[in-house]
Every structure is written in C-alpha cells, then in structure tokens.
Amino acid sequence: MDLQINAGDTGFIMICSALVFLMTPGLAFFYAGMVRRKNALNTLLSCFFICGLASLMWIICGYSLSFGTDHAGVLGGLNHLFFNGVGVQPNGDYSGTIPETLFAAFQMMFAIITPALICGAVAERMKFSRLVIFIGIWSLLVYYPLAHMVWGAGGFLRELGALDFAGGNVVHISSGVTGLVACIILGKRRGYGMLSYKPHNIPFVVLGAGLLWFGWFGFNAGSALSASPLAVHAFLTTNTSAAAALISWLIVEKIVYKKVTVIGAATGGVIGLVAITPGAGFVPIWASIIIGLVVSPLCFFFMSKVKGKFGYDDALDAFGCHGIGGIWGGIATGIFAHQSINPDVIKWNGLIYGETKLFGAQLLSIVVTIVIAVVVSFIILKVMKCFGDLRVSAEAEGVGLDLAEHNEAAYPAYNGLD
C-alpha cells in the first residue's frame, strides 16, 4: 500500500469523527425524552459523562488494546499506551491515506457511543456511581477486545472473514445484549407493570433521533475511511434503510394499533440505522430497502411481545432496538453482501448469491459477540454487587434520580409526581 496522506480523505474523516461524536449527545436527548421528568437529567448525564470517561480511557489504553500489536487474535498490545507511537503518518493496517492519529480519533467516537447505548436498559434506577464503574470496566473487558477481534489487524473474527462495516457486532449487539443482562440483574423499576411509564418529552425524542440520523452518515460513510465511492454507497444504504424502517414501523403500528405515533416514527428510523450498520459498505442499495423493511416488525415483536412474555424491564429497549436490530443486520450482511461492492474486504458473496461461507462466518461472529458480552457483563455486575447495591433506594427512585443522585431538577416548577 502506498502510504501517502490525502488531504480530501483527511478532511472528510475529521468531519465524520465530529458527526459520530454528536451522536452521543443525540442519544442522550433520545433517551431523556422517553423517561419521566424526574429522571431526565440523570438519563442525559448517563450518556453525556461517557464523552469524558471513554475519551480519556481511549487515549490511555483503549486504542492500544483495540488496535495495537495483536495477541492471539483476541486483544491488542500495550505498545500504544497514552498514544505512544501514534503519529501523523498513516498506519497501513487500517488506512493508508489519513494520519493514524485521525484514524484513532475516529475510532474513539465509537468507543464513546457504544457503552452509552447500554444506559437505556438501566434507566431510572441504577446508581450513577455504579454506572460509571461498570462502563469503565465494560469498556476494558468487552469493547476493546471485540473491537480488536472484529477490526484489529490479526483479530480472530476479521481473519475468519466475518464482516462488520461500522459496528453491528462491536457496537450494537455487544451493547444491546449487555443491556439485557444488566436490566435483568438490576431488577424492574418500582411499580413496573402497574404504573404508567410514559415519555415526558416526545419532541426531545425526535430531536435525538434526528441528531442520531444525521451523525450516522459519519458513522457509516466515514467507515470507508476515505472520501470515496464506497463512502457514497454507505451513505445511501444508510439513509435508505432508515427510511424503509421508519415507514415499515408506521405500517405495523397502523395494523396493530390503528394509529401511528411520533415515538414509533423516531424508533423506526433509528432501528433502520442500526440494522444497516454492519452491511452499509457491503450490500447493494436495493438490499438496504429489504433490511429496513424487515427490522421494524422484528424489533416491534421483541419490544411488544417477547419483553412482556419474559417480564424483563429493558426500560428504553436497548436490547429490543440495538441487540435485535444488530443481530438482524449481521445476518442480513451474510445474505446480501457482494464482492463487487467492496472487493478489498469481502472474501465471499452472500447467501442469496449461492455461497454459504460468509453466512456461516456471520453467524459465528454474532454468537461469539453475544457470548462474550453476556458472560463478561454478568461477571462484572455480579462482582460489583458484592461491594454494594447497584440500584438506588426505593425512596430515591420515588423522588427521582435527578434530585436523589444530582440534586438538580430539569423542571424546577415540576411537582414530582411522575
């Protein structure tokens, strides 16, 4: 590879990095609008503080453990601690036309938003101090190893031929199934199943969804790591899947409830973005329509039926949206991916073209991701419980986490009843 910095690629990825960063504040608004007023600030902060923690951890050790010298295909080395050896020259293992510092910065934004997705599953009841500790440990033991296995040079799943363009496994499945484990261990919210848990600010939800959709263009198109035709292709598949999923969700609502909702439109758009993430730079544009159309009824079923059947309190449906949407997206990549779209990366065509190797690799990568996220998250939370309660007291939950945890109120004139 001719390692020569390209100014256009560099400028493009800088913009994409900023777009991906914006997704975390966008997610904070998306989540905060769906909780009750007395927990709005706590939910905002639960996402926003990660911009600080994950950024520092990435500089100190995260980039090194994710993209440093390979160890057994599972974890990077310690050669880039504190960005040691990470300079302005390109790293040929990842991109030959942008500075390695920029590649590392782009990847840092993924390390920020991924653990923030988990917060939706434990909203309105987890102690903030325990959440901070959990996010830090989870990043070390789950996110960094998965990032190396899927994207790192020598990574086990990368060498297997599994495809994950922008984070189906690394971002969405890992955070979604972790959210499921966390909400089960944490327990249901006070009065769950008896009280009404209605979104307190639907405009916030739409604002958050819009920021996520906007930022997702950087998330997926930027994963081409160049201002190239592949980036344009990923841009189009991203928007097309989101559009199809939004319409599909509204159709499902109309059939089931006889009315369509704003929350449904926002949710549909977001899960369409989730579903296309692993295949954005691998599947044809026409396939992104199918991916978006299918993901909405699939996620709707898990959020409305499966969650009720098993009784777990995934407060903001982190598992139902990101876990299920990410799993479908990974499977769909194994069905629809075609070598002509990204010949430098794709080893085999998808199942629809008569080949089975990629589909098998996709299934294995999904299983590996689920097992790692579930087992490690379970152990982390169980060990943490040995050192104190993970959730706030019943009194604090009744008052609301804004006052109980932060002594602040999003709405000072609010009477505190919901």
Side-chain angles (χ1 to χ4, degrees):
M1 179 184 291
D2 182 21
L3 304 181
Q4 186 172 355
I5 291 177
N6 180 283
D9 291 346
T10 300
F12 175 65
I13 300 304
M14 287 184 69
I15 293 171
C16 288
S17 299
L19 286 172
V20 180
F21 176 84
L22 185 64
M23 292 174 70
T24 299
L27 179 71
F29 275 100
F30 184 71
Y31 278 168
M34 289 194 283
V35 299
R36 291 169 293 175
R37 284 178 286 183
K38 62 185 178 183
N39 297 315
L41 294 180
N42 174 262
T43 304
L44 280 167
L45 184 60
S46 294
C47 294
F48 194 64
F49 91 89
I50 300 173
C51 295
L53 177 65
S55 294
L56 290 176
M57 289 183 64
W58 190 251
I59 297 293
I60 294 167
C61 64
Y63 179 70
S64 190
L65 294 174
S66 301
F67 295 98
T69 303
D70 176 65
H71 287 277
V74 174
L75 194 64
L78 302 178
N79 52 311
H80 291 315
L81 293 180
F82 294 92
F83 264 38
N84 176 57
V86 181
V88 297
Q89 295 304 310
N91 183 329
D93 287 331
Y94 303 111
S95 177
T97 63
I98 63 173
E100 185 176 6
T101 46
L102 178 55
F103 171 77
F106 180 66
Q107 290 296 334
M108 177 170 64
M109 304 311 168
F110 289 71
I112 293 171
I113 193 169
T114 302
L117 297 171
I118 301 168
C119 300
V122 299
E124 302 195 290
R125 61 204 190 274
M126 189 171 189
K127 288 182 177 179
F128 182 73
S129 60
R130 299 299 187 270
L131 179 65
V132 172
I133 294 169
F134 175 72
I135 293 299
I137 299 174
W138 187 89
S139 295
L140 281 170
L141 300 184
V142 177
Y143 184 82
Y144 301 156
L146 277 175
H148 182 77
M149 282 188 272
V150 174
W151 293 327
F156 160 59
L157 294 175
R158 175 173 168 169
E159 295 299 312
L160 184 70
L163 301 176
D164 188 356
F165 190 72
N169 284 298
V170 181
V171 177
H172 296 291
I173 298 176
S174 68
S175 62
V177 299
T178 295
L180 178 63
V181 172
C183 76
I184 292 172
I185 291 178
L186 201 61
K188 302 174 185 178
R189 285 169 291 178
R190 183 168 163 263
Y192 181 75
M194 295 177 287
L195 300 176
S196 175
Y197 288 90
K198 294 181 179 179
H200 91 280
N201 194 324
I202 294 176
F204 268 18
V205 177
V206 178
L207 172 64
L211 290 172
L212 284 168
W213 197 325
F214 178 66
W216 226 292
F217 291 123
F219 198 85
N220 286 357
S223 291
L225 296 175
S226 63
S228 62
L230 180 61
V232 177
H233 182 90
F235 188 104
L236 284 171
T237 56
T238 297
N239 192 70
T240 303
S241 177
L246 188 158
I247 299 302
S248 180
W249 188 283
L250 294 183
I251 291 172
V252 171
E253 280 193 331
K254 185 64 175 178
I255 293 171
V256 176
Y257 300 131
K258 310 305 179 187
K259 293 182 183 295
V260 298
T261 66
V262 175
I263 285 281
T267 301
V270 170
I271 62 175
L273 295 163
V274 171
I276 196 59
T277 292
F282 302 131
V283 303
I285 294 173
W286 61 263
S288 66
I289 300 176
I290 299 173
I291 291 170
L293 289 175
V294 171
V295 73
S296 286
L298 187 62
C299 290
F300 184 92
F301 173 74
F302 270 84
M303 292 161 62
S304 63
K305 301 298 181 182
V306 175
K307 185 168 73 168
K309 175 70 174 179
F310 290 95
Y312 56 86
D313 184 11
D314 179 4
L316 307 181
D317 292 300
F319 173 68
C321 289
H322 298 278
I324 298 303
I327 290 170
W328 161 240
I331 293 172
T333 301
I335 296 173
F336 297 111
H338 196 277
Q339 287 178 299
S340 64
I341 296 168
N342 198 340
D344 293 335
V345 176
I346 302 175
K347 294 182 179 180
W348 313 287
N349 291 323
L351 192 64
I352 198 172
Y353 307 104
E355 299 183 33
T356 60
K357 288 184 178 180
L358 175 60
F359 187 72
Q362 291 301 104
L363 293 180
L364 179 59
S365 70
I366 291 169
V367 171
V368 169
T369 301
I370 292 173
V371 170
I372 291 173
V374 167
V375 172
V376 178
S377 299
F378 179 84
I379 293 172
I380 294 171
L381 289 165
K382 283 296 185 181
V383 171
M384 285 180 63
K385 284 191 74 172
C386 296
F387 296 91
D389 291 335
L390 298 175
R391 63 182 295 162
V392 299
S393 66
E395 180 183 3
E397 193 173 344
V399 170
L401 275 64
D402 289 0
L403 290 175
E405 290 282 284
H406 313 294
N407 198 31
E408 292 181 297
Y411 309 96
Y414 161 55
N415 61 17
L417 296 178
D418 60 4

